Amino acid sequence: MKLYIAVGSVMLLMMTLFIILFVAFYQHRQAQHLLALNALREAYRKELMAATFQGQEQERRRLARDLHDEIGTMLSVTKLNVNQLDRKIPDVHTGALLLVQKTRALLDETMSNVRRISRDLVPTTLERFGLLAAMEELAEKATSGDVVVTLECPDMVDRLPASTQLLFYRIAQELLNNAIKHAAASQVNVQFVYFHDAIRMSVEDNGRGFDYDEAVKDRRSGLGLRNIESRLTVVDGHVTFDVAPGRGSRIHVQTQLTDVVNEEVPVTA
């Protein structure tokens, strides 16, 4: 009888151990499955975001082409007609001549704006000469009588992949626009720094700052900030907002460097 009890106890213990091991194995498999599923979801999200930004760039190119080829051509033809009209109006008709001159001035301004918008949509300088030249042009155009934009950028940034150069350029556009138009900054400094395996772009200004949490809640004003974060998730980058109302902002954007770039680019920080 005691032997039966002992055997039964051993069998019960073995069954209990088997159940525990089975549950542990099942939970482990479930955890692995969940991790794999999350990895697939993250990869799909990144691919979707990358396709979205690629589509945005293609749409920018289409708009820039339409502005240059269609609107720009129409404005040029209109200006030629105005010039011909100017030559045919007698000098005694001063009122008509003044109107023609104003119209020509408006056409010149409109043509200049169309060219500017077209260049902003498609950064031709970036494509032709690289990120350094594009950033220099961006800083120069942003600098005015009320704002001074300084740039610290080594020429090694031109060795970055084209997609990474475009990423930094678009983010710099957004941050400069925010600092000048929304924060009313008079001094903005853009600095690129290389680390061993990463590159960081810092944008610092002396503007009035902002509340990050409140900004991202606003569907319009927070769109640019969310767009920056979305762009960086595609390349496993990140952004740090050192901001607060009433003081200047310091925003740091960082991405990892590829092995190829690491071999070519020495450390400068």
Side-chain angles (χ1 to χ4, degrees):
M1 185 67 179
K2 291 182 179 180
L3 179 61
Y4 289 141
I5 294 175
V7 171
S9 298
V10 171
M11 292 182 63
L12 181 61
L13 181 61
M14 291 180 63
M15 290 182 61
T16 303
L17 182 61
F18 173 78
I19 293 173
I20 293 174
L21 291 174
F22 176 79
V23 171
F25 175 77
Y26 177 78
Q27 290 178 337
H28 179 68
R29 289 291 300 271
Q30 285 291 98
Q32 286 185 323
H33 177 73
L34 185 60
L35 288 174
L37 183 61
N38 289 336
L40 286 174
R41 287 175 177 171
E42 180 64 16
Y44 175 75
R45 187 185 66 82
K46 288 183 178 180
E47 290 179 1
L48 184 61
M49 292 300 300
T52 299
F53 290 124
Q54 184 179 8
Q56 289 179 353
E57 292 298 329
Q58 291 175 349
E59 183 64 13
R60 287 172 183 263
R61 291 180 180 277
R62 186 190 67 80
L63 290 173
R65 185 172 58 250
D66 290 346
L67 283 172
H68 181 271
D69 296 343
E70 297 182 16
I71 307 299
T73 301
M74 291 174 62
L75 289 171
S76 297
V77 172
T78 303
K79 184 178 178 179
L80 288 175
N81 292 336
V82 170
N83 290 337
Q84 292 178 358
L85 180 63
D86 186 22
R87 289 191 291 268
K88 292 182 179 181
I89 297 177
D91 293 340
V92 294
H93 294 164
T94 56
L97 289 173
L98 183 60
L99 181 60
V100 168
Q101 292 174 0
K102 289 183 178 180
T103 302
R104 184 163 50 214
L106 287 172
L107 282 171
D108 288 337
E109 183 180 356
T110 303
M111 291 171 67
S112 177
N113 287 333
V114 167
R115 286 192 293 268
R116 175 183 57 79
I117 294 171
S118 181
R119 286 195 300 266
D120 289 342
L121 286 170
V122 179
T124 54
T125 302
L126 176 66
E127 295 178 343
R128 295 177 182 175
F129 305 108
L131 181 58
L132 174 58
M135 290 300 303
E136 289 175 340
E137 181 183 64
L138 186 62
E140 182 180 355
K141 290 195 306 185
T143 298
S144 64
D146 300 323
V147 183
V148 175
V149 178
T150 59
L151 174 67
E152 300 175 46
C153 183
D155 56 8
M156 292 173 292
V157 295
D158 291 337
R159 303 180 190 178
L160 292 169
S163 58
T164 305
Q165 293 188 41
L166 179 61
L167 170 79
F168 277 114
Y169 182 81
R170 290 300 187 202
I171 293 177
Q173 276 186 313
E174 181 67 33
L175 293 179
L176 280 175
N177 181 71
N178 290 345
I180 296 171
K181 292 187 177 180
H182 301 300
S186 61
Q187 179 72 44
V188 185
N189 181 58
V190 183
Q191 180 187 49
F192 284 83
V193 176
Y194 276 99
F195 298 96
H196 176 68
D197 59 350
I199 179 173
R200 183 181 69 200
M201 179 182 71
S202 300
V203 180
E204 301 183 8
D205 67 70
N206 64 347
R208 56 178 172 237
F210 63 94
D211 186 305
Y212 175 80
D213 293 331
E214 291 298 323
V216 294
K217 290 179 183 178
D218 190 292
R219 296 184 61 183
R220 295 182 62 184
S221 64
L223 181 61
L225 302 181
R226 291 192 296 271
N227 189 46
I228 291 173
E229 293 174 332
S230 297
R231 284 182 178 275
L232 287 167
T233 57
V234 176
V235 294
D236 293 324
H238 66 273
V239 56
T240 302
F241 293 96
D242 181 7
V243 297
R247 68 168 176 84
S249 300
R250 292 181 292 272
I251 301 173
H252 308 287
V253 177
Q254 185 165 316
T255 64
Q256 296 297 114
L257 292 172
T258 63
D259 293 337
V260 174
V261 176
N262 275 335
E263 293 175 358
E264 296 180 348
V265 180
V267 179
T268 62

